[in-house]
Amino acid sequence: MKKLCMAAASALLLLQLQGQAQTTAPAKDTIPLVHGAHRTGNRTDPDMARWRSLRLGQFIHWGLYAIPGGEWNGKTYNGAAEWIRSWKEMPQADYDNLYKQFNPVNYHPEQWAQQAKDMGAGYMIITTKHHDGFCLWPSKYTRYTVAASPWKKDIIGPMVDAYNKQGIDVYLYFSIIDWNHPDWRTSLKTPADSAAYNRFKVFVKHQLQELLVRYPTIKGFWFDGTWDNSWKNDGAFSDELEQYLQKIHPGLIIGSRLRADEKGARHFDSNGRLMGDYEQGWERKLPTQFADIHGNDWEGVMTIPENQWGYCAKWAGHIKTSNELIEMLVKSTSLGGNFVINFGPKSDGTFRTEEVQRMQEIGQWMKVNGTAIRGGTYAGFDKQDWGYYIRKANTDSIFMVVCNVPVSGSLRVKLPASTTLTQASYLENPGITLTPEMIGAHEYFLHLDPQKNYQTPVVILLNTSNSTAVDNGRFEKAKT
Ligand code: FHN
């Protein structure tokens, strides 16, 4: 019997080790790389800890594409509205002249910041320059900026100030694709292309430097449009650029989209190690389970309609409800990631009703339940069908966010073996406790109030003891 127990214990240990090996970077790099990942594991500094604790972000796509709003000459573009310049029905010259109409007379950054604060956002990302190349700041390196529009004034500066005043961190989206710049290329076929692209890279570096000098309180860059061969075949440049930016602005946070290694691998280098400060590939999709994120910091970005980032007058297809977005936020937090919801303001500087409504509804939920989100992370408990567990990082407090109430009203809770449940109470009403019904070793039912008809996810706080010892939130539990 003793032998059997020891064999079982060794098998368990082996499985645990295998479980950890799946979630960490490879033990040994097999491919020698100069421009691969420069760090193993997540950043542990205060700037990154802050980013990780904020959890909910607001993305804003705003630019000239808001003027046509997905339509041109009475026809509707089927793609994402911010890509309309690439549609054959829209002459590029017409698009490139839209800057003469950019005049957002109802742009009030203080109102934007207030509504983001009310939604519960801890950070925001603004498109300083999307693929069209139009700059929302008066860059001295191109004439294609807001300074040439009837609005004339900087858009970014007042936005950074207004959001910062609300305690919201600002990140600058910057597209490497630049349809307006004569030297931008997708691939380099001739020496002339190479020469042009070398000039383009200098321009990119200058613009980024300029943004850092103009807006020194920003917390990071959000790069995009880095998938072309011209960019990904020069891993040395993106590596040096990242190091340069982080040197002149210590603490700067940059996701995995910027770089490629010298073999053209993006996000993860050729040895499978994450490049950049967090995994940035989760666009309009979320991981299913904790194993999917390999222990890395990550962020998911989501549109409210199917695939529209910039303003699109006619939303088609499924439009996500506030409850769906809340569930995605909860799921992301439960998997140790951040969740960013995108908004596409109109060209006059106002937001469409559907977006305002979602900001308000999410804000109402966050006001009551935000403490389960901010500073929340993976709990290490067995997932149940009613929803998601979230751990307050480095504590024994576990939140149960109930997104699907069973008809029985009974919520199954399975605790890890060494964990004890000391109390269960409603987050909204800490005075009201739930009496656990024991249904097995470490298994309970919590019975929800049968009279209640929940319209939004309800949150139960479990006070436990010794649950942090079970799992430090980094690794998925071993599969047994
Ligand atoms: O092409 C863009 C798209 O317009 C949008 O900006 C999204 C946001 O993540 N990024 C690109 C596609 O990955």
Side-chain angles (χ1 to χ4, degrees):
M1 181 65 185
K2 202 173 164 194
K3 266 189 187 163
L4 249 181
C5 288
M6 278 177 66
S10 334
L12 188 69
L13 183 68
L14 187 69
L15 280 165
Q16 274 170 347
L17 290 173
Q18 282 170 348
Q20 293 195 0
Q22 281 168 13
T23 55
T24 52
K28 193 169 179 300
D29 292 344
T30 47
I31 302 168
L33 293 172
V34 177
H35 300 293
H38 299 304
R39 189 190 57 246
T40 302
N42 294 323
R43 262 174 63 174
T44 54
D45 57 281
D47 292 295
M48 200 66 204
R50 179 174 164 92
W51 177 89
R52 191 181 293 126
S53 73
L54 301 175
R55 291 301 184 221
L56 175 59
Q58 180 196 48
F59 210 152
I60 295 209
H61 274 69
W62 201 33
L64 298 182
Y65 38 83
I67 298 171
E71 288 173 9
W72 195 248
N73 280 343
K75 288 188 182 155
T76 303
Y77 174 48
N78 281 330
E82 70 281 1
W83 275 78
I84 198 167
R85 187 186 183 274
S86 61
W87 184 34
K88 62 174 179 12
E89 298 288 341
M90 174 143 202
Q92 291 185 350
D94 286 3
Y95 188 95
D96 294 342
N97 276 306
L98 286 175
Y99 74 93
K100 294 178 184 159
Q101 297 173 45
F102 187 75
N103 196 16
V105 289
N106 295 316
Y107 170 53
H108 300 300
E110 299 75 20
Q111 276 175 19
W112 287 30
Q114 183 66 57
Q115 65 189 4
K117 180 76 181 172
D118 293 345
M119 177 174 79
Y123 66 105
M124 71 89 68
I125 307 159
I126 173 69
T127 48
T128 56
K129 174 172 93 154
H130 203 263
H131 308 334
D132 61 6
F134 182 71
C135 303
L136 288 187
W137 83 101
S139 175
K140 61 182 179 205
Y141 298 104
T142 170
R143 285 209 294 264
Y144 198 48
T145 83
V146 72
S149 74
W151 180 252
K152 290 193 171 61
K153 293 164 280 188
D154 184 15
I155 291 285
I156 303 298
M159 197 182 298
V160 174
D161 291 345
Y163 276 78
N164 283 170
K165 261 189 211 135
Q166 292 288 355
I168 299 176
D169 291 348
V170 177
Y171 288 76
L172 302 184
Y173 169 108
F174 185 95
S175 169
I176 297 298
I177 293 178
D178 189 329
W179 295 326
N180 184 263
H181 199 285
D183 291 331
W184 173 74
R185 299 282 185 282
T186 54
S187 59
L188 311 179
K189 297 190 184 93
T190 64
D193 283 343
S194 300
Y197 205 67
N198 282 338
R199 291 191 297 271
F200 177 70
K201 285 185 291 194
V202 172
F203 165 71
V204 163
K205 191 170 173 183
H206 281 157
Q207 284 208 315
L208 293 170
Q209 215 173 11
E210 183 181 42
L211 286 167
L212 282 179
V213 171
R214 288 185 68 100
Y215 314 116
T217 64
I218 63 151
K219 300 290 182 185
F221 283 114
W222 205 100
F223 287 102
D224 203 1
T226 49
W227 49 79
D228 288 317
N229 284 336
S230 49
W231 186 262
K232 72 178 191 194
N233 289 344
D234 191 356
F237 180 74
S238 57
D239 187 10
E240 280 151 22
L241 182 65
E242 184 184 68
Q243 292 188 35
Y244 170 76
L245 296 172
Q246 289 183 323
K247 194 166 169 214
I248 58 175
H249 192 114
L252 202 69
I253 294 175
I254 297 175
S256 63
R257 284 195 189 209
L258 173 67
R259 291 187 48 203
D261 73 9
E262 57 263 54
K263 296 188 178 303
R266 298 179 58 237
H267 295 283
F268 292 90
D269 70 16
S270 303
N271 288 311
R273 291 182 191 270
L274 182 71
M275 293 179 286
D277 297 324
Y278 63 93
E279 192 188 344
Q280 206 187 353
W282 298 99
E283 176 173 316
R284 294 190 297 117
K285 63 176 185 234
L286 295 179
T288 308
Q289 52 180 350
F290 193 62
D292 297 343
I293 50 109
H294 308 285
N296 292 315
D297 280 320
W298 67 276
E299 172 194 77
V301 291
M302 192 58 68
T303 49
I304 297 174
E306 275 164 18
N307 183 26
Q308 297 293 344
W309 298 87
Y311 174 72
C312 171
K314 286 189 199 131
W315 272 358
H318 178 66
I319 314 298
K320 293 171 198 74
T321 63
S322 300
N323 271 338
E324 284 175 282
L325 294 162
I326 291 170
E327 179 163 353
M328 289 175 181
L329 165 65
V330 169
K331 181 179 184 186
S332 303
T333 308
S334 79
L335 296 176
N338 288 358
F339 184 68
V340 179
I341 307 173
N342 180 73
F343 299 86
K346 298 180 196 172
S347 60
D348 70 347
T350 61
F351 289 77
R352 69 199 304 144
T353 325
E354 299 94 321
E355 291 188 341
V356 173
Q357 191 193 358
R358 276 155 188 76
M359 280 192 261
Q360 288 170 350
E361 289 173 356
I362 293 167
Q364 280 156 16
W365 187 85
M366 282 292 284
K367 210 167 167 193
V368 177
N369 303 295
T371 178
I373 299 297
R374 287 182 289 271
T377 192
Y378 177 63
F381 282 31
D382 280 357
K383 169 140 177 31
Q384 303 293 332
D385 291 341
W386 45 254
Y388 306 87
Y389 290 108
I390 293 174
R391 177 188 298 280
K392 192 69 148 180
N394 307 312
T395 74
D396 281 329
S397 298
I398 308 287
F399 299 98
M400 291 169 56
V401 187
V402 184
C403 296
N404 314 299
V405 178
V407 225
S408 64
S410 308
L411 310 175
R412 187 167 173 270
V413 176
K414 190 172 175 217
L415 300 178
S418 59
T419 303
T420 324
L421 177 61
T422 48
Q423 181 170 291
S425 56
Y426 288 101
L427 182 60
E428 189 171 6
N429 282 307
I432 307 183
T433 53
L434 294 95
T435 312
E437 179 197 349
M438 196 152 199
I439 53 167
H442 312 289
E443 274 192 78
Y444 302 88
F445 269 147
L446 291 177
H447 301 285
L448 288 176
D449 180 350
Q451 306 301 322
K452 279 256 184 172
N453 179 13
Y454 295 100
Q455 300 297 316
T456 54
V458 60
V459 182
I460 295 166
L461 169 62
L462 302 182
N463 294 110
T464 68
S465 61
N466 212 26
S467 72
T468 38
V470 175
D471 193 302
N472 64 8
R474 266 287 321 256
F475 301 113
E476 192 191 28
K477 270 191 76 209
K479 309 237 181 331
T480 53

PDB file of all heavy atoms in Angstrom, residues 59 61 80 82-83 127 130-131 173 222 224-225 227 257 283 301 309, ligand 1:
ATOM      1  N   PHE A  59      -9.864  51.447 -25.875  1.00  0.00           N
ATOM      2  CA  PHE A  59      -9.127  51.674 -27.125  1.00  0.00           C
ATOM      3  C   PHE A  59      -9.918  52.718 -27.901  1.00  0.00           C
ATOM      4  O   PHE A  59     -11.152  52.653 -27.945  1.00  0.00           O
ATOM      5  CB  PHE A  59      -9.109  50.357 -27.917  1.00  0.00           C
ATOM      6  CG  PHE A  59      -7.903  50.157 -28.802  1.00  0.00           C
ATOM      7  CD1 PHE A  59      -7.445  48.866 -29.100  1.00  0.00           C
ATOM      8  CD2 PHE A  59      -7.215  51.223 -29.365  1.00  0.00           C
ATOM      9  CE1 PHE A  59      -6.344  48.637 -29.904  1.00  0.00           C
ATOM     10  CE2 PHE A  59      -6.104  51.008 -30.175  1.00  0.00           C
ATOM     11  CZ  PHE A  59      -5.665  49.720 -30.437  1.00  0.00           C
ATOM     12  N   HIS A  61     -10.089  54.371 -31.755  1.00  0.00           N
ATOM     13  CA  HIS A  61      -9.652  54.508 -33.146  1.00  0.00           C
ATOM     14  C   HIS A  61     -10.309  55.758 -33.694  1.00  0.00           C
ATOM     15  O   HIS A  61     -11.526  55.811 -33.859  1.00  0.00           O
ATOM     16  CB  HIS A  61     -10.084  53.298 -33.979  1.00  0.00           C
ATOM     17  CG  HIS A  61      -9.123  52.150 -33.913  1.00  0.00           C
ATOM     18  ND1 HIS A  61      -8.930  51.400 -32.787  1.00  0.00           N
ATOM     19  CD2 HIS A  61      -8.281  51.628 -34.861  1.00  0.00           C
ATOM     20  CE1 HIS A  61      -8.016  50.451 -33.036  1.00  0.00           C
ATOM     21  NE2 HIS A  61      -7.608  50.568 -34.291  1.00  0.00           N
ATOM     22  N   ALA A  80     -13.494  46.788 -42.637  1.00  0.00           N
ATOM     23  CA  ALA A  80     -13.446  47.648 -41.456  1.00  0.00           C
ATOM     24  C   ALA A  80     -13.306  49.107 -41.915  1.00  0.00           C
ATOM     25  O   ALA A  80     -12.488  49.415 -42.789  1.00  0.00           O
ATOM     26  CB  ALA A  80     -12.263  47.252 -40.583  1.00  0.00           C
ATOM     27  N   GLU A  82     -11.930  51.746 -41.030  1.00  0.00           N
ATOM     28  CA  GLU A  82     -10.635  52.464 -41.039  1.00  0.00           C
ATOM     29  C   GLU A  82      -9.750  52.000 -42.196  1.00  0.00           C
ATOM     30  O   GLU A  82      -8.695  52.574 -42.439  1.00  0.00           O
ATOM     31  CB  GLU A  82      -9.926  52.310 -39.685  1.00  0.00           C
ATOM     32  CG  GLU A  82      -9.385  50.919 -39.358  1.00  0.00           C
ATOM     33  CD  GLU A  82     -10.445  49.930 -38.878  1.00  0.00           C
ATOM     34  OE1 GLU A  82     -11.627  50.299 -38.802  1.00  0.00           O
ATOM     35  OE2 GLU A  82     -10.074  48.773 -38.579  1.00  0.00           O
ATOM     36  N   TRP A  83     -10.229  50.991 -42.943  1.00  0.00           N
ATOM     37  CA  TRP A  83      -9.490  50.487 -44.105  1.00  0.00           C
ATOM     38  C   TRP A  83     -10.097  50.995 -45.413  1.00  0.00           C
ATOM     39  O   TRP A  83      -9.713  50.539 -46.493  1.00  0.00           O
ATOM     40  CB  TRP A  83      -9.501  48.956 -44.115  1.00  0.00           C
ATOM     41  CG  TRP A  83      -8.417  48.326 -43.265  1.00  0.00           C
ATOM     42  CD1 TRP A  83      -8.417  48.190 -41.911  1.00  0.00           C
ATOM     43  CD2 TRP A  83      -7.177  47.751 -43.731  1.00  0.00           C
ATOM     44  NE1 TRP A  83      -7.267  47.556 -41.498  1.00  0.00           N
ATOM     45  CE2 TRP A  83      -6.486  47.277 -42.597  1.00  0.00           C
ATOM     46  CE3 TRP A  83      -6.591  47.584 -44.981  1.00  0.00           C
ATOM     47  CZ2 TRP A  83      -5.239  46.657 -42.678  1.00  0.00           C
ATOM     48  CZ3 TRP A  83      -5.351  46.962 -45.058  1.00  0.00           C
ATOM     49  CH2 TRP A  83      -4.688  46.515 -43.911  1.00  0.00           C
ATOM     50  N   THR A 127      -5.151  56.047 -31.187  1.00  0.00           N
ATOM     51  CA  THR A 127      -4.463  55.951 -32.480  1.00  0.00           C
ATOM     52  C   THR A 127      -3.834  57.308 -32.822  1.00  0.00           C
ATOM     53  O   THR A 127      -4.521  58.209 -33.296  1.00  0.00           O
ATOM     54  CB  THR A 127      -5.463  55.599 -33.595  1.00  0.00           C
ATOM     55  OG1 THR A 127      -6.604  56.473 -33.461  1.00  0.00           O
ATOM     56  CG2 THR A 127      -5.920  54.162 -33.508  1.00  0.00           C
ATOM     57  N   HIS A 130      -2.928  55.945 -37.779  1.00  0.00           N
ATOM     58  CA  HIS A 130      -3.337  54.608 -38.254  1.00  0.00           C
ATOM     59  C   HIS A 130      -2.676  54.362 -39.599  1.00  0.00           C
ATOM     60  O   HIS A 130      -1.783  55.116 -40.023  1.00  0.00           O
ATOM     61  CB  HIS A 130      -4.876  54.503 -38.302  1.00  0.00           C
ATOM     62  CG  HIS A 130      -5.357  53.094 -38.230  1.00  0.00           C
ATOM     63  ND1 HIS A 130      -5.680  52.363 -39.350  1.00  0.00           N
ATOM     64  CD2 HIS A 130      -5.520  52.255 -37.176  1.00  0.00           C
ATOM     65  CE1 HIS A 130      -6.042  51.138 -38.983  1.00  0.00           C
ATOM     66  NE2 HIS A 130      -5.957  51.039 -37.668  1.00  0.00           N
ATOM     67  N   HIS A 131      -3.112  53.302 -40.322  1.00  0.00           N
ATOM     68  CA  HIS A 131      -2.427  52.922 -41.559  1.00  0.00           C
ATOM     69  C   HIS A 131      -2.461  54.034 -42.617  1.00  0.00           C
ATOM     70  O   HIS A 131      -1.597  54.088 -43.484  1.00  0.00           O
ATOM     71  CB  HIS A 131      -3.043  51.652 -42.165  1.00  0.00           C
ATOM     72  CG  HIS A 131      -3.167  50.501 -41.208  1.00  0.00           C
ATOM     73  ND1 HIS A 131      -2.351  50.345 -40.106  1.00  0.00           N
ATOM     74  CD2 HIS A 131      -4.015  49.432 -41.195  1.00  0.00           C
ATOM     75  CE1 HIS A 131      -2.704  49.238 -39.451  1.00  0.00           C
ATOM     76  NE2 HIS A 131      -3.713  48.679 -40.091  1.00  0.00           N
ATOM     77  N   TYR A 173      -1.075  54.317 -29.733  1.00  0.00           N
ATOM     78  CA  TYR A 173      -1.100  53.391 -30.874  1.00  0.00           C
ATOM     79  C   TYR A 173      -0.310  54.056 -32.002  1.00  0.00           C
ATOM     80  O   TYR A 173      -0.476  55.252 -32.283  1.00  0.00           O
ATOM     81  CB  TYR A 173      -2.553  53.166 -31.304  1.00  0.00           C
ATOM     82  CG  TYR A 173      -2.738  52.435 -32.624  1.00  0.00           C
ATOM     83  CD1 TYR A 173      -3.193  51.117 -32.663  1.00  0.00           C
ATOM     84  CD2 TYR A 173      -2.487  53.066 -33.840  1.00  0.00           C
ATOM     85  CE1 TYR A 173      -3.373  50.450 -33.866  1.00  0.00           C
ATOM     86  CE2 TYR A 173      -2.660  52.412 -35.048  1.00  0.00           C
ATOM     87  CZ  TYR A 173      -3.099  51.101 -35.054  1.00  0.00           C
ATOM     88  OH  TYR A 173      -3.281  50.458 -36.253  1.00  0.00           O
ATOM     89  N   TRP A 222       1.657  51.229 -28.488  1.00  0.00           N
ATOM     90  CA  TRP A 222       0.892  50.065 -28.963  1.00  0.00           C
ATOM     91  C   TRP A 222       1.117  50.012 -30.473  1.00  0.00           C
ATOM     92  O   TRP A 222       0.497  50.764 -31.230  1.00  0.00           O
ATOM     93  CB  TRP A 222      -0.584  50.266 -28.619  1.00  0.00           C
ATOM     94  CG  TRP A 222      -1.395  49.015 -28.480  1.00  0.00           C
ATOM     95  CD1 TRP A 222      -1.754  48.410 -27.314  1.00  0.00           C
ATOM     96  CD2 TRP A 222      -1.982  48.225 -29.528  1.00  0.00           C
ATOM     97  NE1 TRP A 222      -2.514  47.294 -27.572  1.00  0.00           N
ATOM     98  CE2 TRP A 222      -2.676  47.155 -28.925  1.00  0.00           C
ATOM     99  CE3 TRP A 222      -1.987  48.310 -30.916  1.00  0.00           C
ATOM    100  CZ2 TRP A 222      -3.359  46.190 -29.648  1.00  0.00           C
ATOM    101  CZ3 TRP A 222      -2.663  47.340 -31.644  1.00  0.00           C
ATOM    102  CH2 TRP A 222      -3.350  46.293 -31.004  1.00  0.00           C
ATOM    103  N   ASP A 224       1.328  48.545 -34.394  1.00  0.00           N
ATOM    104  CA  ASP A 224       0.450  47.786 -35.278  1.00  0.00           C
ATOM    105  C   ASP A 224       1.025  47.849 -36.696  1.00  0.00           C
ATOM    106  O   ASP A 224       1.919  48.664 -36.996  1.00  0.00           O
ATOM    107  CB  ASP A 224      -0.957  48.414 -35.243  1.00  0.00           C
ATOM    108  CG  ASP A 224      -2.042  47.440 -35.661  1.00  0.00           C
ATOM    109  OD1 ASP A 224      -1.736  46.267 -35.957  1.00  0.00           O
ATOM    110  OD2 ASP A 224      -3.218  47.850 -35.684  1.00  0.00           O
ATOM    111  N   GLY A 225       0.505  46.987 -37.570  1.00  0.00           N
ATOM    112  CA  GLY A 225       0.932  47.025 -38.984  1.00  0.00           C
ATOM    113  C   GLY A 225       2.378  46.596 -39.161  1.00  0.00           C
ATOM    114  O   GLY A 225       3.103  47.148 -39.992  1.00  0.00           O
ATOM    115  N   TRP A 227       3.366  43.449 -39.903  1.00  0.00           N
ATOM    116  CA  TRP A 227       3.416  42.102 -40.487  1.00  0.00           C
ATOM    117  C   TRP A 227       4.049  42.046 -41.874  1.00  0.00           C
ATOM    118  O   TRP A 227       4.260  40.975 -42.420  1.00  0.00           O
ATOM    119  CB  TRP A 227       2.008  41.497 -40.537  1.00  0.00           C
ATOM    120  CG  TRP A 227       0.968  42.410 -41.135  1.00  0.00           C
ATOM    121  CD1 TRP A 227       0.759  42.652 -42.457  1.00  0.00           C
ATOM    122  CD2 TRP A 227       0.024  43.208 -40.421  1.00  0.00           C
ATOM    123  NE1 TRP A 227      -0.279  43.549 -42.619  1.00  0.00           N
ATOM    124  CE2 TRP A 227      -0.748  43.904 -41.379  1.00  0.00           C
ATOM    125  CE3 TRP A 227      -0.257  43.410 -39.056  1.00  0.00           C
ATOM    126  CZ2 TRP A 227      -1.777  44.789 -41.031  1.00  0.00           C
ATOM    127  CZ3 TRP A 227      -1.278  44.287 -38.717  1.00  0.00           C
ATOM    128  CH2 TRP A 227      -2.025  44.961 -39.692  1.00  0.00           C
ATOM    129  N   ARG A 257       3.916  43.063 -30.602  1.00  0.00           N
ATOM    130  CA  ARG A 257       3.713  43.293 -32.042  1.00  0.00           C
ATOM    131  C   ARG A 257       4.877  44.008 -32.718  1.00  0.00           C
ATOM    132  O   ARG A 257       5.004  43.957 -33.935  1.00  0.00           O
ATOM    133  CB  ARG A 257       2.483  44.162 -32.279  1.00  0.00           C
ATOM    134  CG  ARG A 257       1.205  43.409 -32.104  1.00  0.00           C
ATOM    135  CD  ARG A 257       0.039  44.170 -32.693  1.00  0.00           C
ATOM    136  NE  ARG A 257      -1.187  43.515 -32.317  1.00  0.00           N
ATOM    137  CZ  ARG A 257      -2.297  43.518 -33.024  1.00  0.00           C
ATOM    138  NH1 ARG A 257      -2.352  44.177 -34.158  1.00  0.00           N
ATOM    139  NH2 ARG A 257      -3.372  42.892 -32.607  1.00  0.00           N
ATOM    140  N   GLU A 283      -6.447  39.528 -30.649  1.00  0.00           N
ATOM    141  CA  GLU A 283      -7.302  40.570 -31.242  1.00  0.00           C
ATOM    142  C   GLU A 283      -8.638  39.940 -31.628  1.00  0.00           C
ATOM    143  O   GLU A 283      -8.663  38.993 -32.425  1.00  0.00           O
ATOM    144  CB  GLU A 283      -6.610  41.152 -32.476  1.00  0.00           C
ATOM    145  CG  GLU A 283      -7.475  42.164 -33.185  1.00  0.00           C
ATOM    146  CD  GLU A 283      -6.734  42.876 -34.312  1.00  0.00           C
ATOM    147  OE1 GLU A 283      -5.576  43.279 -34.118  1.00  0.00           O
ATOM    148  OE2 GLU A 283      -7.331  43.032 -35.390  1.00  0.00           O
ATOM    149  N   VAL A 301      -7.830  42.682 -27.235  1.00  0.00           N
ATOM    150  CA  VAL A 301      -8.526  43.901 -27.682  1.00  0.00           C
ATOM    151  C   VAL A 301      -9.782  43.481 -28.442  1.00  0.00           C
ATOM    152  O   VAL A 301      -9.750  42.551 -29.236  1.00  0.00           O
ATOM    153  CB  VAL A 301      -7.614  44.822 -28.540  1.00  0.00           C
ATOM    154  CG1 VAL A 301      -6.517  45.431 -27.691  1.00  0.00           C
ATOM    155  CG2 VAL A 301      -6.989  44.083 -29.725  1.00  0.00           C
ATOM    156  N   TRP A 309     -13.300  49.121 -36.192  1.00  0.00           N
ATOM    157  CA  TRP A 309     -12.509  49.815 -35.164  1.00  0.00           C
ATOM    158  C   TRP A 309     -12.781  51.316 -35.251  1.00  0.00           C
ATOM    159  O   TRP A 309     -13.128  51.961 -34.277  1.00  0.00           O
ATOM    160  CB  TRP A 309     -11.018  49.505 -35.347  1.00  0.00           C
ATOM    161  CG  TRP A 309     -10.706  48.046 -35.178  1.00  0.00           C
ATOM    162  CD1 TRP A 309     -10.754  47.084 -36.142  1.00  0.00           C
ATOM    163  CD2 TRP A 309     -10.343  47.360 -33.964  1.00  0.00           C
ATOM    164  NE1 TRP A 309     -10.432  45.856 -35.620  1.00  0.00           N
ATOM    165  CE2 TRP A 309     -10.174  45.994 -34.287  1.00  0.00           C
ATOM    166  CE3 TRP A 309     -10.130  47.773 -32.655  1.00  0.00           C
ATOM    167  CZ2 TRP A 309      -9.798  45.044 -33.324  1.00  0.00           C
ATOM    168  CZ3 TRP A 309      -9.749  46.824 -31.703  1.00  0.00           C
ATOM    169  CH2 TRP A 309      -9.593  45.488 -32.035  1.00  0.00           C
TER     170      TRP A 309
HETATM  171  O1  FHN B   1      -5.512  46.694 -39.323  1.00  0.00           O
HETATM  172  C1  FHN B   1      -5.636  47.041 -37.997  1.00  0.00           C
HETATM  173  C2  FHN B   1      -7.076  47.354 -37.614  1.00  0.00           C
HETATM  174  O2  FHN B   1      -7.548  48.384 -38.406  1.00  0.00           O
HETATM  175  C3  FHN B   1      -7.106  47.757 -36.150  1.00  0.00           C
HETATM  176  O3  FHN B   1      -6.336  48.906 -35.927  1.00  0.00           O
HETATM  177  C4  FHN B   1      -6.590  46.631 -35.305  1.00  0.00           C
HETATM  178  C5  FHN B   1      -6.570  46.917 -33.834  1.00  0.00           C
HETATM  179  O4  FHN B   1      -5.962  45.889 -33.135  1.00  0.00           O
HETATM  180  N1  FHN B   1      -5.215  46.293 -35.707  1.00  0.00           N
HETATM  181  C6  FHN B   1      -5.019  45.993 -37.112  1.00  0.00           C
HETATM  182  C7  FHN B   1      -5.214  44.586 -37.426  1.00  0.00           C
HETATM  183  O5  FHN B   1      -4.471  43.776 -36.594  1.00  0.00           O
END
